[in-house]
Amino acid sequence: MKIRCDVCTRRCNLSEGQLGFCHARQAKDGKIISTNYGQVTSISLDSIEKKPLNNYMPGSKVLSVGSFGCNFTCEFCQNYIIATSDGSNINKRYISPKELVKMAEELVAEGNIGVAYTYNEPLIGYEYVLDCSKLIHKHSLKNILVTNGSINNEIFKEVIGHIDAVNIDLKAFSEDFYKRVGGDLQTTLENIKIAAKTTHIELTNLVIPGLNDNEEEMRKMVKWIADINPEIPLHISRFFPAYKMWDSSPTPLETIYKFVGIAKEYLKNVYPGNC
């Protein structure tokens, strides 16, 4: 008998013991479990602008944690070593929610405001994010989420209620692009709407030559964002070769600044990234 995982839009049907596409959820004893719960592969005290969040507590720092696995297959992934791993071939250590909160509190003197769930796709292991975020709030600290947004809307609603600021990677504004990376555009757009009603939200769009650098598509995207709220910050970021796209060229600077100009026709807070 197979069990369906409903966490993300892939909805993997798994046999007993089988891992999902994300490498971080598994069918076990008749249910789907998270195999990356508390398994931290990356942890760092980062500036909040690196998330990127420019309009939420600027100048502060946040303890950033990531695990392994991802539900996308981005050929341009900067964190592909952890994103494509099932945890068996990388260094990791278990950090309980209680221990993570203690670490966050100890860093307050260095400017830390809380915890950011980031690096890999944190919501494929949403249980850990939920447990940590509830405890973080009990200690009067902040929760930040960095996600691709291609997660079941009901799970996203449950998590976002405990998040103070979120950056969602709006990778493109076409279904074809989302099919290429294994996501679902409409699910991501709905989660952006959900987040915009409940928390501080900023968006990132990585512009990749030949894949999503269409001027008409950019204009449609920023119009759509503006219809939700023209105050939503948008980071238009420059691509640099990575993972399976080492032979590609970086995004021309003129493209980034052209798109920033287009976005500013509709949005009040637009930032070039990686320039």
Coordinates of all heavy atoms in Angstrom, one line a residue, residues 19 23 35-36 39 41 68-69 81-82 84-92:
L19 N 11.7 7.2 0.4 CA 11.8 8.6 0.6 C 11.1 9.3 -0.5 O 11.0 8.9 -1.7 CB 13.3 9.0 0.5 CG 14.2 8.7 1.8 CD1 15.6 9.0 1.4 CD2 13.7 9.5 3.0
H23 N 13.8 14.0 -0.5 CA 14.8 13.3 0.3 C 14.7 13.5 1.8 O 15.6 13.2 2.5 CB 16.3 13.7 -0.2 CG 16.5 13.6 -1.6 ND1 16.4 12.5 -2.3 CD2 16.9 14.6 -2.5 CE1 16.7 12.7 -3.6 NE2 17.0 14.0 -3.8
T35 N 12.3 13.1 8.0 CA 13.6 12.5 8.3 C 14.7 13.5 8.7 O 15.8 13.2 9.1 CB 14.1 11.6 7.2 OG1 14.3 12.4 6.0 CG2 13.1 10.5 6.9
N36 N 14.4 14.8 8.4 CA 15.4 15.8 8.7 C 15.0 16.7 9.9 O 15.6 17.8 10.1 CB 15.6 16.7 7.4 CG 14.4 17.6 7.1 OD1 13.3 17.5 7.8 ND2 14.5 18.5 6.1
Q39 N 17.8 18.1 12.1 CA 19.1 17.7 11.6 C 19.7 18.9 10.9 O 19.4 19.2 9.7 CB 19.0 16.5 10.6 CG 18.4 15.3 11.2 CD 19.3 14.7 12.3 OE1 20.5 14.7 12.2 NE2 18.7 14.1 13.3
T41 N 22.4 21.2 9.1 CA 23.6 21.1 8.3 C 24.3 22.4 8.2 O 25.5 22.5 7.9 CB 23.2 20.6 6.8 OG1 22.4 21.6 6.2 CG2 22.5 19.3 6.9
F68 N 18.6 19.5 5.3 CA 18.8 19.0 4.0 C 17.5 18.7 3.3 O 16.5 18.6 3.9 CB 19.7 17.7 4.1 CG 19.1 16.6 4.8 CD1 18.2 15.7 4.2 CD2 19.4 16.4 6.2 CE1 17.6 14.7 4.9 CE2 18.8 15.3 6.9 CZ 17.9 14.5 6.3
G69 N 17.6 18.6 1.9 CA 16.5 18.3 1.1 C 15.8 19.5 0.6 O 15.9 20.6 1.1
I81 N 24.3 21.3 -2.6 CA 24.9 20.2 -1.8 C 24.0 19.7 -0.7 O 23.8 18.5 -0.5 CB 26.3 20.6 -1.2 CG1 27.3 20.8 -2.3 CG2 26.8 19.5 -0.2 CD1 28.6 21.3 -1.9
I82 N 23.3 20.6 0.0 CA 22.4 20.2 1.0 C 21.0 20.0 0.4 O 20.2 19.2 0.9 CB 22.3 21.2 2.2 CG1 21.9 22.6 1.7 CG2 23.7 21.3 2.9 CD1 21.7 23.6 2.8
T84 N 20.1 18.7 -2.4 CA 19.9 17.4 -3.1 C 20.3 16.2 -2.2 O 20.2 15.1 -2.7 CB 20.8 17.4 -4.4 OG1 22.2 17.5 -4.0 CG2 20.4 18.5 -5.3
S85 N 20.6 16.4 -1.0 CA 21.1 15.4 -0.1 C 19.9 14.7 0.7 O 18.9 15.4 1.0 CB 22.1 15.9 0.9 OG 22.5 14.9 1.8
D86 N 20.1 13.5 1.0 CA 19.2 12.8 1.9 C 19.7 12.8 3.3 O 19.2 12.1 4.2 CB 18.8 11.4 1.5 CG 20.1 10.5 1.4 OD1 21.2 10.9 1.8 OD2 19.9 9.3 1.0
G87 N 20.9 13.5 3.5 CA 21.5 13.6 4.8 C 22.6 12.5 5.1 O 23.3 12.6 6.1
S88 N 22.7 11.6 4.2 CA 23.7 10.5 4.4 C 25.1 10.9 4.0 O 26.1 10.2 4.5 CB 23.3 9.2 3.7 OG 23.3 9.5 2.3
N89 N 25.3 11.9 3.2 CA 26.6 12.2 2.7 C 27.1 13.6 3.1 O 28.0 14.2 2.5 CB 26.5 12.2 1.2 CG 25.5 13.1 0.5 OD1 24.6 13.6 1.2 ND2 25.7 13.4 -0.7
I90 N 26.5 14.2 4.2 CA 26.9 15.5 4.6 C 27.0 15.6 6.1 O 26.4 14.7 6.8 CB 25.8 16.6 4.1 CG1 24.4 16.2 4.5 CG2 25.9 16.9 2.7 CD1 23.4 17.2 4.3
N91 N 27.7 16.5 6.6 CA 27.8 16.7 8.0 C 26.6 17.4 8.6 O 26.0 18.3 8.0 CB 29.0 17.6 8.4 CG 30.4 16.9 8.0 OD1 30.5 15.7 8.2 ND2 31.3 17.7 7.6
K92 N 26.1 16.9 9.7 CA 24.9 17.4 10.3 C 24.9 17.1 11.8 O 25.7 16.2 12.2 CB 23.6 16.8 9.7 CG 23.5 15.3 9.8 CD 22.3 14.8 9.0 CE 22.1 13.3 9.2 NZ 23.3 12.5 8.7

